[in-house]
Amino acid sequence: MRVIVHGGAGGAPDDPEPRQAVLDEAAARGADTASPLDAVESAVGVLESDPRFNAGVGGAVQSDGVVRTDAGVMTSDRAVGAACSMPGVEHAASVARVVHSETPHIFVSGEHAVDLAADFGVETGVDLLTDEKRERYEAEDPPRGSPREHLDWLASRFGSGDDQAGERSESDAPDHDTVGAVATDGETFAAVTSTGGRSFALAGRVGDVPQVGSGFFCTEAGGASATGAGEDIARVTLSRRAVDFLDDGFDAQAAADRAIDEFEEITDSGAGVIVLGDGGAGSAFNTEGMQTSVAEK
């Protein structure tokens, strides 16, 4: 089993060594499993439980003060599962796997996704809001009233700072720490991405992460997981482009590099991507940093 994981692309982290240790643990945990699908779920589960990353516990707070999680998973047979807008769900990747493996659908959202999670043994009702995220939100004089009022409030907050060029801002930097993993057993692949979204987004906003081809993609050629400015990632379907390059015969590193170069040329925005193919793993980003880890067993 070979696994590559990422902890998000954005500003340079304040605590790179402890974060790297968690990423290394996640990759090792994934490598010690029986299938690529087990591997990516297990690896990302470690990161979803660590508040250093913007997935699960410590996720970003939306305009109404609620943390909602999203995730998507795909395997090389092109089976897909995604779930989004889930309050109180720490392990969004596990819910995506339920959709992938237990339903005839590819995407379930909101309270119905939470109910599905509970019915299949994924814990719900978890307090995902850390003290640090709560304090950041409350310090911004949260909006009251209608969605239009929320939009007025977030106009100068959502996407500020590092959304355009990878520059770190005090309020925004942690929210690029979406997590993802790609794994292979030498025969099949699986890719997953999980997130807590972006701070100061409109309540109910869904970014690239659970959208197949944007936050994640997988074929027989390999898989990819993306992170960064979600709206722009979705506009160019970044993960699908990376896997397209694998299909064209590029190795994983070249595929990652070309996908990010193309993304930057089209959007002038910040992102990162990890790629895993038959020949190995690759990663690329155009922000200040993106930590990754690779494990093999």
Side-chain angles (χ1 to χ4, degrees):
M1 191 70 67
R2 176 181 293 167
V3 182
I4 180 171
V5 301
H6 71 76
D14 294 329
D15 55 348
E17 292 181 2
R19 291 177 85 259
Q20 188 63 50
V22 179
L23 287 164
D24 292 344
E25 177 190 352
R29 188 85 61 88
D32 193 26
T33 60
S35 73
L37 193 54
D38 290 337
V40 294
E41 181 186 11
S42 179
V44 164
V46 173
L47 305 177
E48 289 170 328
S49 295
D50 193 308
R52 292 180 180 86
F53 302 94
N54 179 33
V57 176
V61 186
Q62 295 193 329
S63 64
D64 61 351
V66 177
V67 177
R68 296 177 175 88
T69 58
D70 311 328
V73 64
M74 187 172 183
T75 45
S76 49
D77 58 357
R78 293 184 182 263
V80 174
C84 73
S85 296
M86 297 181 291
V89 175
E90 177 179 346
H91 294 295
S94 295
V95 188
R97 181 172 181 173
V98 169
V99 178
H100 169 284
S101 302
E102 304 292 345
T103 82
H105 310 304
I106 63 168
F107 209 150
V108 180
S109 67
E111 64 182 84
H112 301 293
V114 176
D115 291 343
L116 180 68
D119 216 28
F120 280 86
V122 180
E123 186 178 7
T124 61
V126 180
D127 183 5
L128 305 178
L129 189 58
T130 63
D131 290 342
E132 185 257 341
K133 290 293 177 69
R134 181 183 291 106
E135 289 169 4
R136 286 176 55 203
Y137 174 73
E138 292 176 351
E140 291 292 332
D141 188 23
R144 301 289 185 266
S146 71
R148 186 182 295 273
E149 292 175 275
H150 283 233
L151 285 169
D152 290 341
W153 174 83
L154 65 85
S156 63
R157 294 170 172 84
F158 178 76
S160 63
D162 59 357
D163 195 35
Q164 294 301 314
E167 295 300 324
R168 181 170 180 140
S169 71
E170 181 179 354
S171 65
D172 237 11
D175 296 337
H176 274 87
D177 298 343
T178 287
V179 302
V182 189
T184 184
D185 58 4
E187 297 181 359
T188 62
F189 291 87
V192 69
T193 308
S194 179
T195 192
R198 291 289 305 277
S199 283
F200 312 133
L202 184 68
R205 174 261 189 186
V206 178
D208 66 296
V209 165
Q211 298 187 50
V212 61
S214 298
F216 64 101
F217 199 66
C218 196
T219 71
E220 291 182 354
S225 171
T227 171
E231 277 69 14
D232 291 320
I233 289 172
R235 290 182 182 105
V236 302
T237 57
L238 176 57
S239 290
R240 181 188 63 83
R241 291 298 297 140
V243 175
D244 282 349
F245 289 126
L246 288 178
D247 278 319
D248 289 342
F250 293 96
D251 64 28
Q253 185 57 55
D257 288 336
R258 283 176 172 262
I260 289 298
D261 287 347
E262 180 182 81
F263 171 83
E264 185 171 15
E265 181 179 352
I266 293 171
T267 69
D268 193 31
S269 190
V273 66
I274 56 172
V275 182
L276 188 64
D278 287 329
S283 64
F285 58 94
N286 66 343
T287 61
E288 288 184 3
M290 182 177 77
Q291 290 179 283
T292 64
S293 184
V294 178
E296 187 171 355
K297 186 171 182 180

